[in-house]
Amino acid sequence: MTEPVTRHRGALRPLYAAGFVTAFGAHSIAAGLGAYTHGQHASLLTLGLLLAVYDGAEVVLKPVFGSLADRVGPRPVLLGGLLAFAVASAAFVVAGNPALVGLARLGQGAAAAAFSPAAGALVARLSPAKRQGRAFGGYGAWKGLGYTLGPVLGGALITLGGFPLLFAVLAGLAVAAASWAAVAVPAVAPLPRARETVAGLVRRLGQGGFLRPTATLAATTGALAVGVGFLPVSGAAAGLGPLATGAAVSVLAVCSSLVQPWAGRARDAGRLRDRTGMALGLAAAAAGLAIAALVPGAGGVLAAAVVVGAGVGLATPLGFAHLAATTPPERLGQTLGAAEVGRELGDAGAPLLVGAVAVAATLDAGLLTLGALLALTAITIALEGRS
């Protein structure tokens, strides 16, 4: 249902860069916050708040900025969000006060809430209908690269120059992405929109065309978060060192990044239906979590990383492409902003679920519980596809 404005692939690349900025920014800082709070003699509660404030801002503001992108056009919202991200990052450097990291992170999260749904809407609007799977596959791959490189390069930057150097680099990346987008991304006029009541919005977002891909995106994001957070714990329990467990997490992210473009191309070529691919991806992620729980040792951790990463990579671009294909083009920003809230809830909720079950029983039980929920979601999507 989308109406592409241009077929030039060059217009998509700065949008991929914007996806990289938000992923790299979120994970590079998050990976270093544990050492930061330890050095500041802060509590674990403080660490939790610093970790949550970025995602919290995104959950609240993404639907707002998504609707704004529909009203004024996604390009100015994209550029404004990237520049705001740069300002929030640079302000921390200029202030020179380590205690302001939470405020800076809040500003970054609010800015990401603006440019993330705007970038997704532009990917959809600037891509021909027959190439949307590939376009969203590329977008997801670059975000996956940001997730992969964030902890590694972020740690290196913090080691070299502390948090000020990391925030300075993030400011520079955001300015570079904004400059590139200003030159390469064409203006996309807002489309005429019929007035929609709150009840109409609720009905539209309650339909399967929104709920299925949003549930898929929430589930795959949750599986990714659990893999990144808990596979190292499983590896450590099996006697693996930090280098080996870190390598397993990198394997997970790399597999997700590599599979996403392939899944998008298969979808565009008609070899993979959206519902089938989403169900298969969720089933693979569920199987990977089961492997992590049931197969001991380094082999189990590595196999789990590969299978979870492949499942996430298979389902994610299909979820986005399905949303783009079933959403009126004048409502893309609003719809993608709402779907991004689902992703953020999955990102936060899945680790909480696994952690709660692990406290009550064991980590393996927590992984199997989440795997069962993913499998149930996969079965529901597959059966709905036959109805």
Side-chain angles (χ1 to χ4, degrees):
M1 298 178 67
T2 57
E3 298 179 1
V5 176
T6 179
R7 292 177 180 269
H8 295 299
R9 293 180 62 188
L12 296 178
R13 291 173 183 144
L15 304 178
Y16 297 170
F20 177 86
V21 168
T22 183
F24 181 82
H27 277 221
S28 61
I29 296 174
L33 284 176
Y36 166 83
T37 53
H38 178 75
Q40 298 292 318
H41 304 290
S43 66
L44 290 177
L45 176 60
T46 300
L47 174 59
L49 290 173
L50 291 175
L51 288 169
V53 68
Y54 188 101
D55 292 332
E58 289 192 299
V59 167
V60 173
L61 295 176
K62 274 184 175 179
V64 176
F65 284 117
S67 297
L68 180 64
D70 291 333
R71 188 173 298 114
V72 304
R75 186 174 181 271
V77 178
L78 171 79
L79 298 178
L82 285 168
L83 292 176
F85 190 95
V87 169
S89 303
F92 176 81
V93 180
V94 173
N97 185 354
L100 296 178
V101 66
L103 185 61
R105 191 163 165 80
L106 175 64
Q108 288 177 329
F115 70 77
S116 186
L122 281 165
V123 169
R125 291 282 302 276
L126 298 177
S127 304
K130 293 182 178 180
R131 293 181 60 92
Q132 295 219 328
R134 181 176 299 185
F136 278 108
Y139 182 67
W142 278 94
K143 289 193 75 170
L145 184 63
Y147 292 136
T148 303
L149 295 180
V152 178
L153 295 184
L157 291 170
I158 292 171
T159 300
L160 291 174
F163 268 80
L165 178 58
L166 173 58
F167 275 82
V169 169
L170 290 174
L173 286 174
V175 169
S179 302
W180 192 5
V183 172
V185 176
V188 177
L191 298 173
R193 299 189 305 165
R195 186 173 181 179
E196 185 177 49
T197 64
V198 174
L201 172 63
V202 171
R203 282 195 300 271
R204 181 163 60 83
L205 298 185
Q207 295 175 351
F210 175 81
L211 292 179
R212 281 189 299 270
T214 300
T216 297
L217 293 172
T220 53
T221 303
L224 179 64
V226 167
V228 170
F230 288 96
L231 279 184
V233 179
S234 295
L240 301 180
L243 181 60
T245 56
V249 171
S250 296
V251 166
L252 188 157
V254 167
C255 286
S256 174
S257 295
L258 291 177
V259 170
Q260 289 199 50
W262 173 86
R265 288 193 296 269
R267 186 249 187 199
D268 294 340
R271 299 192 303 271
L272 185 64
R273 297 179 59 189
D274 289 344
R275 291 180 181 178
T276 301
M278 287 189 288
L280 288 175
L282 289 172
L289 293 173
I291 291 171
L294 300 176
V295 179
V301 173
L302 182 59
V306 171
V307 177
V308 170
V312 170
L314 175 60
T316 298
L318 302 183
F320 277 118
H322 191 76
L323 280 171
T326 57
T327 299
E330 69 274 13
R331 304 285 183 185
L332 270 173
Q334 181 186 63
T335 300
L336 291 177
E340 288 278 2
V341 171
R343 292 191 78 195
E344 298 297 336
L345 293 176
D347 191 23
L352 287 175
L353 172 65
V354 172
V357 175
V359 170
T362 64
L363 176 57
D364 291 343
L367 295 173
L368 289 172
T369 300
L370 179 60
L373 289 177
L374 293 182
L376 179 62
T377 306
I379 292 170
T380 301
I381 291 174
L383 292 179
E384 284 183 355
R386 297 179 181 178
S387 61

